[in-house]
Amino acid sequence: MTQAIGKKVKVRFAPSPTGDLHVGNIRTALFDWAYARHTGGTFLFRIEDTDTTRVTDEYIKAAIDTLKWLGLNWDEGPEVGGENGPYLQSQRLDIYAHWAAKFLEQGDAYYCYCSPDELEAVREAQRKANEAPGYNGHCRDLTPDQIGAFKAQGREGVVRMRMPDGSTTFIDEIRGEVTFDHKFVPDFVLVRADGSPLYTLAVAVDDILMKVTHVLRGEDLLSSTPRQIRVYQAMGVAQSEYPAFAHLPFVMGQDNAKLSKRNGEVSIAWYREQGYLPEAICNYLALLGWSPGDDRENISMKELTELFTVEKVHSSPARFDMKKLEAINGDKIRALPLEEFAKWSIPFLIKAEVITGTEEEVSLVTRALPLIQERIVKLDEAPALLKFLFVKDFVIDQEAVAKVADEQAKNILRRALQDLELLTTWDHLSIESALRASLIEELGLKPRIAFTALRIATTGSTISPPLFESMELLGKEASLARISLALSL
Ligand code: GLU
């Protein structure tokens, strides 16, 4: 990516938290972070919260928390501060007001008094005439008398930027040279009638004042670039000081439409609740629309920072594949050391009310986790698999009851009970050899039939961790009591 010689890279991630951050936002944040880390530059995090009707404190907190959870640490921004703060745009309103006033004074901007209805009427006429919809410049050159008349009617003006005739050309580092004819970039609003700034003003002012050198962001913002460049010009910024732009292609759903709630899960909070690990999400998203030049599916954060370059970002949209993400999550879960796996799983068990978190419970969970580490792809599968160890009022799942009620199952359970009572050592090897000797060898039963009945009787379900290990952890007394209970059904 273009890099001015001797200038330290500064990349920013600047979400407008009008909801939970979504997959596309996070992919952008990850690429921003990776580029900053790769170049030894600064990663700046800015909250664009000027739209107070849609941004809430809760979403701001959630955005900060999500970035932390993913491990995308920032060098300047909320909580950590920095020399260009504050980093919440709502705390910078006087700065935007200053620039808007300056643009008015310079004649770059003007007050527009058109009402929403009048603007709609213009758009309607444009639609009918098959013209591109947009502001028609009605208030560009109002006389003082006309302005006075509007004010006398009680109209409050918005501040609009004057777009000169001509076009804007800039280099997008992913798609090359891009030109916007100003016929399609009408004069745009900088400040609403209530005095609050719009995104286009705030983003451009901040990128300059915060000395951002690289803007890597979603493709949906490509068309706002000529407007931002217009703001830089009005600020008197030399072209050599403009940030470099790279617009990342969309993330599409399986149906090739832009990923949305309709065709996929978009909220990162959802993935977190389901038990996806941050490293799996980062690994998956890193390779969504970027690759280091091979077809690897696994990449660590360290490798990402070593290898990430914008040149290797694909210019075509990337397709989100939930199955691939699940597979990567399963890999990452299997690769966790036991203590880490416990650290991630325990909150899920507590949330599902399988355990409350006592020392005793945690110690049993830690012994049980190796039994499920190979089997689960998401952490939220852990509670269902381990709850048999902790339930106070043990019951057999409704749909499994019938499988232990017939005569054959009863025979199996009766025989198992007899043999297991005799065991003096209660470990999975002794349990297995006792049961194999009697049920499989002596009675000639198929293992699947014999052990399914025991699995249901002791764990309450047809799906459980390995049977003999589960019985070992459950303990002799509880295992036998449960088998007796099943016999009484
Ligand atoms: N705040 C804008 C948004 O969330 C993005 C700003 C930018 O990256 O330029 O859509």
Side-chain angles (χ1 to χ4, degrees):
M1 199 158 171
T2 324
Q3 208 172 315
I5 296 165
K7 205 164 161 191
K8 196 172 165 201
V9 167
K10 189 185 276 190
V11 200
R12 91 302 195 271
F13 173 57
S16 307
T18 52
D20 286 322
L21 294 186
H22 55 76
V23 168
N25 295 132
I26 292 305
R27 204 233 353 209
T28 300
L30 181 67
F31 285 14
D32 286 333
W33 176 87
Y35 187 62
R37 295 291 169 259
H38 176 74
T39 53
T42 300
F43 178 47
L44 183 148
F45 178 24
R46 180 173 73 227
I47 303 279
E48 306 213 317
D49 58 343
T50 55
D51 185 353
T52 46
T53 57
R54 294 171 63 221
V55 178
T56 65
D57 285 349
E58 192 192 330
Y59 288 140
I60 294 176
K61 270 206 213 92
I64 294 173
D65 184 50
T66 300
L67 243 61
K68 281 192 198 164
W69 178 71
L70 290 164
L72 303 179
N73 56 325
W74 56 98
D75 311 303
E76 276 188 45
E79 298 186 357
V80 305
E83 58 190 21
N84 301 289
Y87 295 92
L88 261 67
Q89 287 188 330
S90 58
Q91 295 170 6
R92 303 172 61 80
L93 299 180
D94 50 340
I95 300 175
Y96 313 129
H98 160 83
W99 285 102
K102 195 158 186 326
F103 300 162
L104 283 165
E105 195 188 298
Q106 292 169 177
D108 286 309
Y110 59 91
Y111 277 107
C112 163
Y113 296 93
C114 296
S115 68
D117 287 347
E118 286 161 351
L119 294 173
E120 184 45 40
V122 169
R123 272 194 295 269
E124 187 52 38
Q126 287 164 332
R127 265 194 294 269
K128 282 201 181 119
N130 261 337
E131 288 168 13
Y135 184 65
N136 62 358
H138 177 270
C139 297
R140 267 191 153 198
D141 300 301
L142 296 179
T143 64
D145 283 352
Q146 287 171 309
I147 294 174
F150 280 132
K151 284 191 175 160
Q153 291 170 13
R155 295 197 190 209
E156 305 267 17
V158 301
V159 178
R160 265 188 206 278
M161 185 63 109
R162 204 183 284 278
M163 274 315 269
D165 290 342
S167 61
T168 299
T169 296
F170 58 93
I171 305 292
D172 181 277
E173 305 281 342
I174 294 170
R175 61 207 70 225
E177 192 177 278
V178 181
T179 297
F180 281 90
D181 187 326
H182 293 182
K183 274 202 285 248
F184 304 106
V185 190
D187 293 356
F188 54 95
V189 179
L190 295 168
V191 182
R192 298 183 185 89
D194 66 3
S196 61
L198 268 100
Y199 158 72
T200 324
L201 171 63
V203 75
V205 165
D206 283 350
D207 282 343
I208 295 301
L209 298 187
M210 295 181 178
K211 304 178 194 73
V212 168
T213 60
H214 292 78
V215 171
L216 269 75
R217 59 182 178 185
E219 177 170 64
D220 47 331
L221 295 164
L222 183 70
S223 63
S224 69
T225 309
R227 291 192 280 268
Q228 286 160 32
I229 290 178
R230 175 71 185 105
V231 176
Y232 304 157
Q233 287 163 349
M235 289 173 82
V237 179
Q239 195 170 351
S240 56
E241 296 300 310
Y242 296 175
F245 288 95
H247 290 89
L248 307 168
F250 286 129
V251 178
M252 313 301 267
Q254 289 292 344
D255 56 359
N256 277 335
K258 197 179 158 200
L259 189 67
S260 69
K261 270 205 158 41
R262 197 184 45 74
N263 61 4
E265 237 342 297
V266 285
S267 145
I268 288 293
W270 183 85
Y271 290 92
R272 187 173 174 177
E273 273 164 30
Q274 294 276 306
Y276 286 90
L277 295 171
E279 338 165 35
I281 294 179
C282 288
N283 181 149
Y284 179 66
L285 292 182
L287 298 171
L288 194 63
W290 172 82
S291 74
D294 50 33
D295 50 11
R296 73 174 78 201
E297 298 209 325
N298 277 297
I299 190 161
S300 68
M301 294 298 260
K302 185 163 173 287
E303 288 166 326
L304 175 64
T305 58
E306 281 162 11
L307 300 171
F308 186 82
T309 61
V310 176
E311 287 74 22
K312 294 246 162 68
V313 174
H314 308 158
S315 55
S316 51
R319 183 117 57 86
F320 191 79
D321 181 346
M322 186 78 99
K323 286 269 162 283
K324 222 176 210 175
L325 172 57
E326 272 182 17
I328 290 176
N329 204 50
D331 288 347
K332 299 280 180 194
I333 286 179
R334 281 189 289 281
L336 288 175
L338 180 58
E339 314 83 83
E340 283 287 304
F341 184 40
K343 191 191 91 188
W344 283 109
S345 306
I346 286 167
F348 281 82
L349 293 161
I350 293 177
K351 188 162 172 242
E353 296 180 352
V354 167
I355 60 170
T356 56
T358 64
E359 227 173 275
E360 204 184 325
E361 288 170 333
V362 168
S363 131
L364 182 52
V365 164
T366 314
R367 287 199 289 144
L369 283 173
L371 306 184
I372 64 166
Q373 193 163 8
E374 293 290 320
R375 309 186 155 212
I376 64 173
V377 294
K378 294 182 292 150
L379 297 167
D380 76 340
E381 294 165 42
L385 287 170
L386 296 184
K387 77 169 189 291
F388 77 94
L389 286 171
F390 300 94
V391 280
K392 302 272 173 310
D393 303 309
F394 176 75
V395 279
I396 291 176
D397 287 353
Q398 202 53 46
E399 70 277 16
V401 171
K403 294 198 177 129
V404 282
D406 63 27
E407 228 10 71
Q408 185 184 33
K410 295 239 181 258
N411 279 337
I412 293 167
L413 296 178
R414 233 176 266 122
R415 180 60 198 264
L417 191 60
Q418 266 173 27
D419 296 328
L420 294 174
E421 261 168 355
L422 300 176
L423 283 184
T424 47
T425 308
W426 190 260
D427 61 26
H428 65 97
L429 292 176
S430 318
I431 298 168
E432 180 171 4
S433 65
L435 293 175
R436 281 196 189 280
S438 60
L439 302 176
I440 313 300
E441 278 150 38
E442 209 183 306
L443 299 186
L445 291 161
K446 288 210 172 69
R448 196 178 53 79
I449 299 208
F451 299 144
T452 298
L454 275 163
R455 186 185 301 281
I456 295 171
T458 51
T459 70
S461 168
T462 48
I463 301 160
S464 79
L467 177 63
F468 312 116
E469 285 84 346
S470 295
M471 289 170 77
E472 176 185 328
L473 288 178
L474 191 57
K476 183 172 181 181
E477 197 185 325
S479 300
L480 298 186
R482 286 183 188 186
I483 296 171
S484 306
L485 183 76
L487 277 168
S488 72
L489 288 176

